[in-house]
Amino acid sequence: MVRPEARRSARRRCPWCLGSEAYVEYHDREWGVPVHDDRTLFEFLVLEGAQAGLSWSTILAKRANYRRAFSGFDPRKVAAFDAARIRRLLADPGIVRNRLKISGAVRNARAFLEVRKEFGSFDAYVWRFVGGRALRRRPRSMADVPARTEISDALSRDLKKRGFTFVGSTICYAFMQAVGMVDDHLRDCWRAAYSRSRKRRSSATLARE
C-alpha cells in the first residue's frame, strides 16, 4: 500500500512552493481555493499587506502569531485597536514589527467593516470583480504568471478609494490568488488536474490524497 505522504511527494507542483513543507502544505490545501468566509478574507488581506517587501515564507512562519496578535482576525476587534494596543504589537517578536503595516491593518479593519455595511459582506463586494466565479488561467510556466492584471488594478483603485492601505495592484493580485479568485496553478501541477475534475473535496481530504 502506498502511503499518502509518498503520493504527495511524487506529485508535480508549482515550483514556487518547493522550498519547505509549510509551502507545500499551503500550496496543496489553500492557494487558489475559493474563499467566501469574511474572517478568512480579512486574514489574507492583513497577511498580504504584511508580506509587502518580504517573502511569503516569512509570513507563513508567523501566521499563527498573527492570528493570536490580531484577535483571530476578527475585523470588529481589530478595528477597535487603540494606540496602546498598537504599541504592544510593535513589541511583539512573533509578527512583522512595522508601524505602518500594523497601523494599516487596523485602518483596513475599519474600512472592511464599512464595506460590509454597504454590501452585506466583504465576500459579496470582492468577488464582484471576477463576476462571482474563479478565473482559471492554467499558465505553462511561472514566467506566464502575471504580477498584476487589469482586474487587480481595478480592485486596488477601489480599495484605496474606500480607505484601505497596503493594497497596491501587486498585493491585490497576490490576495486574489490566495483566496481563489484567480487559480494560477500551472497546467502540469496536480492541483490544476484536481480543479479540472470539478470534484468537491475538503482541505483535509486534499491533504490525505
Side-chain angles (χ1 to χ4, degrees):
M1 180 178 178
V2 179
R3 299 176 65 182
E5 56 267 28
R7 288 199 297 269
R8 286 201 297 270
S9 65
R11 287 171 170 163
R12 295 180 67 91
R13 292 179 169 86
C14 302
W16 62 262
C17 79
L18 302 179
S20 71
E21 185 61 28
Y23 247 8
V24 169
E25 285 294 306
Y26 172 71
H27 169 275
D28 286 3
R29 300 178 67 173
E30 295 188 78
W31 197 68
V33 177
V35 171
H36 294 284
D37 172 71
D38 266 15
R39 189 175 296 209
T40 306
L41 289 169
F42 179 64
E43 174 177 0
F44 277 112
L45 196 64
V46 172
L47 294 179
E48 292 293 350
Q51 189 256 341
L54 303 171
S55 70
W56 185 240
S57 60
T58 297
I59 302 305
L60 279 182
K62 295 177 179 291
R63 191 175 185 180
N65 296 326
Y66 266 92
R67 285 175 174 162
R68 169 189 51 77
F70 284 86
S71 301
F73 291 109
D74 183 331
R76 290 189 180 278
K77 292 181 179 179
V78 176
F81 284 6
D82 57 13
R85 183 65 176 265
I86 291 173
R87 284 196 298 272
R88 289 201 297 273
L89 290 175
L90 284 168
D92 188 338
I95 65 172
V96 176
R97 291 179 287 182
N98 178 294
R99 183 179 294 276
L100 290 177
K101 290 180 179 180
I102 293 171
S103 297
V106 177
R107 174 178 168 178
N108 285 352
R110 294 166 183 166
F112 190 97
L113 295 179
E114 290 301 312
V115 168
R116 289 212 307 203
K117 285 182 184 178
E118 181 176 349
F119 292 90
S121 68
F122 191 81
D123 170 64
Y125 161 75
V126 77
W127 278 86
R128 292 162 54 252
F129 287 86
V130 291
R133 299 184 64 180
L135 304 178
R136 294 189 172 93
R137 301 179 57 257
R138 297 296 168 256
R140 291 183 179 275
S141 71
M142 292 307 298
D144 298 322
V145 179
R148 61 190 291 176
T149 64
E150 290 183 3
I151 295 175
S152 70
D153 289 348
L155 175 58
S156 174
R157 285 194 300 270
D158 199 68
L159 288 171
K160 289 177 180 177
K161 183 177 69 175
R162 294 174 182 277
F164 288 82
T165 188
F166 285 97
V167 287
S169 186
T170 299
I171 290 176
C172 282
Y173 194 70
F175 170 83
M176 290 167 62
Q177 291 173 312
V179 303
M181 293 170 65
V182 176
D183 181 350
D184 273 338
H185 286 283
L186 302 188
R187 64 179 58 185
D188 63 351
C189 172
W190 80 271
R191 285 294 280 114
Y194 163 79
S195 295
R196 284 195 298 268
S197 74
R198 296 180 181 272
K199 294 179 180 178
R200 300 290 184 181
R201 297 183 178 90
S202 68
S203 294
T205 302
L206 282 172
R208 289 196 300 270
E209 293 182 339

